[in-house]
Amino acid sequence: MPQGAAGEAAETLARLERIRRRTRRRVHGGAWLPASGFAVLLLSSMSLYRSPLTQPHSISVEHPFWAGLPDEQVSPVASYVFWFVGTPLLFAAIAAWYAWRARRHGVRVAWPLVAATGLGVLVLFAVLAAVPTGALSDGLTSRSGLHWAGLLTPLLPVGLAVVVLGWAERSRALVAAGSWITLLAVWLCSGFPLGRLPGWTSVLIGGDGLGGQLSLRPGHYLVLMALPLLAVAIVNLASGRSSGRD
C-alpha cells in the first residue's frame, strides 16, 4: 500500500474512533443528573434523624427503619412520607430528563427499568414491613449476629436502582456506586446498634473476636454513600461538556 494511502487510512480510522467516542459520550452524557438526584435524596434523608451527626446520650429505635438506618428518627410518619413520596418524584424527574434528551439528541436510555427496579423494591419493602413494630435495645441481634428484618430499608431500592442505572448508562462507576450503597445498607441495617462490627473483623487485626462498633453517625454513613455518586456526576458532566466542544 502506498505511503499516502496508508496515512489516509490511518487518519480515517482515527477520525472514526473520535466520532465513536464522541457519540458514546453524548449518548451517556446525561447520567450526571440522575446520579446527582440520588445523592441529594440520600443527603436530604439526614433530616429524618434526631442526631444525624452527633452522639446522643440515649437512643430508641423502632423497626422498620423508615428513615433508612437503624437509628432514632424524628418522626416515623415523616420518614415514610419522605421515601414514599420523594423516591417516586425523583424517578419522575429522571423520566422527564431522559425524555428531554431523547427529543434533543435522539438518544434513548433504558430508564424505565431503573424506575421499575427502584419503585418495585420499594413497594415490596412496604408490603413486607407491614408488621407490628417494636423498640430495639442496644446489642439486639439474632443468633447469627444479624438482624435480617432490618434489611427492610428504603436505602436498598436506591442502591439497586443505581446499579441498574449504571447498566443502562454503560457506566461501571455507577454500578460500583450502587453496589457500595447496597453493601453499606445491608451491613448497617442487619445489625444493631448502628455500625456494629462482627467478631471476625477484630480477629483479622489480631483482636479477641468480640467485634466492636464504629462511632460514626447516620449522617456520616449517608455522606459515604453519596460521595461516589457525586464523583460520577462531576466526571460525567465534565465529559459531556468536552464532548459538546468537539
Side-chain angles (χ1 to χ4, degrees):
M1 181 182 293
Q3 185 174 0
E8 290 180 1
E11 183 179 352
T12 299
L13 290 176
R15 187 181 303 113
L16 289 175
E17 179 63 19
R18 289 196 297 271
I19 293 174
R20 186 187 68 82
R21 292 180 179 178
R22 184 168 65 247
T23 301
R24 178 180 175 84
R25 289 198 300 267
R26 184 169 297 174
V27 170
H28 300 293
W32 65 269
L33 188 138
S36 300
F38 282 115
V40 169
L41 185 69
L42 290 172
L43 295 175
S44 299
S45 69
M46 283 190 203
S47 62
L48 303 176
Y49 302 92
R50 288 195 180 277
S51 303
L53 298 172
T54 58
Q55 289 288 351
H57 296 293
S58 62
I59 183 172
S60 176
V61 180
E62 290 187 348
H63 176 264
F65 309 134
W66 292 117
L69 294 175
D71 204 85
E72 189 167 1
Q73 54 193 332
V74 176
S75 167
V77 174
S79 300
Y80 186 94
V81 171
F82 176 89
W83 290 109
F84 285 87
V85 173
T87 305
L89 286 178
L90 174 59
F91 285 125
I94 291 174
W97 168 249
Y98 280 122
W100 176 81
R101 283 181 56 81
R103 291 193 302 269
R104 180 169 181 176
H105 301 293
V107 296
R108 295 183 181 276
V109 175
W111 65 263
L113 186 58
V114 179
T117 299
L119 295 178
V121 176
L122 188 64
V123 171
L124 177 63
F125 159 70
V127 173
L128 295 178
V131 296
T133 61
L136 297 179
S137 59
D138 288 350
L140 177 62
T141 56
S142 68
R143 291 182 179 179
S144 64
L146 297 175
H147 186 65
W148 290 112
L151 298 182
L152 299 177
T153 167
L155 293 173
L156 282 184
V158 172
L160 295 175
V162 173
V163 170
V164 177
L165 175 65
W167 171 82
E169 287 283 5
R170 303 296 186 268
S171 170
R172 294 180 181 177
L174 273 175
V175 171
S179 301
W180 170 246
I181 295 170
T182 302
L183 290 174
L184 271 182
V186 168
W187 167 50
L188 293 170
C189 294
S190 61
F192 186 80
L194 184 67
R196 182 183 177 88
L197 296 172
W200 62 265
T201 58
S202 61
V203 173
L204 292 178
I205 58 177
D208 52 14
L210 296 178
Q213 181 184 356
L214 296 181
S215 58
L216 299 179
R217 300 295 297 139
H220 302 132
Y221 289 114
L222 291 169
V223 169
L224 289 175
M225 292 180 183
L227 279 178
L229 290 170
L230 294 175
V232 170
I234 292 172
V235 172
N236 183 262
L237 182 60
S239 177
R241 287 183 174 178
S242 66
S243 175
R245 292 193 296 266
D246 291 342

